[in-house]
Amino acid sequence: MHDDLEARYHHTSPAFLKVMPEGFTMGGETVSCIEVSIQDEQVERKLWDQGRLLCHSRDGRRAVKTRKPCRVCRDQLRCTSQIVLYVLYDNTPYRIPLNYTSAENYLAYRREVMNGDADPTDIMTTLHVTPRGSWGEVSFTKLF
């Protein structure tokens, strides 16, 4: 029991599902297409300087370390936003950070689903990776 509590305490966030040009990588296996249930979505902000992470916000509103609100930060024009999806794949929770093009695809998919009086968290979604050279682009399709 003691080990379970400690493990949950140190690992409260799901593992990342890595997006590669070949597909989604998890546990040494790579697949180009997965069926998921989107559980949640969030916007993260990161400020980079020559490959070094200077500031990070998990909610897109407040810096993790300094607790400074993003809306009053003078560096906000230099930081980048990223959508992170929380999904269930094969009954296992994962996080998927989306690059810019994949995020645009998700926002278009989200608008389409919501215009049909549904919510992305209420349906099953197929995610497919298209290779784009050194990176993979994620596309979204409503399954049911």
Side-chain angles (χ1 to χ4, degrees):
M1 171 109 172
H2 175 69
D3 293 332
D4 293 340
L5 177 64
E6 195 168 324
R8 283 182 297 189
Y9 175 73
H10 290 294
H11 301 286
T12 57
S13 294
F16 282 106
L17 199 59
K18 199 170 187 180
V19 179
M20 304 294 288
E22 305 80 29
F24 298 98
T25 301
M26 70 224 98
E29 179 186 358
T30 302
V31 293
S32 64
C33 185
I34 60 175
E35 296 173 0
V36 302
S37 168
I38 297 172
Q39 301 295 300
D40 200 2
E41 57 197 19
Q42 79 181 49
V43 175
E44 292 189 357
R45 296 177 72 93
K46 294 181 182 179
L47 177 61
W48 297 93
D49 184 31
Q50 298 179 0
R52 239 182 34 173
L53 183 62
L54 299 180
C55 185
H56 177 221
S57 169
R58 287 193 185 106
D59 61 4
R61 291 183 220 147
R62 186 175 296 275
V64 171
K65 287 185 181 176
T66 64
R67 304 302 300 153
K68 181 178 183 179
C70 294
R71 62 180 158 70
V72 298
C73 179
R74 65 182 167 171
D75 291 319
Q76 69 177 310
L77 295 176
R78 290 185 19 202
C79 72
T80 56
S81 296
Q82 182 177 47
I83 294 175
V84 177
L85 297 179
Y86 288 75
V87 301
L88 274 180
Y89 169 65
D90 217 15
N91 290 323
T92 303
Y94 290 99
R95 290 180 289 171
I96 304 175
L98 301 177
N99 60 36
Y100 178 80
T101 308
S102 300
E104 291 295 312
N105 293 344
Y106 176 69
L107 292 172
Y109 170 72
R110 186 177 188 271
R111 279 190 300 273
E112 176 187 318
V113 168
M114 294 180 91
N115 284 340
D117 291 330
D119 189 274
T121 60
D122 296 333
I123 59 176
M124 290 297 291
T125 303
T126 301
L127 280 57
H128 182 267
V129 175
T130 302
R132 301 286 187 217
S134 62
W135 57 281
E137 179 181 348
V138 181
S139 58
F140 301 81
T141 309
K142 181 179 175 179
L143 187 59
F144 59 85

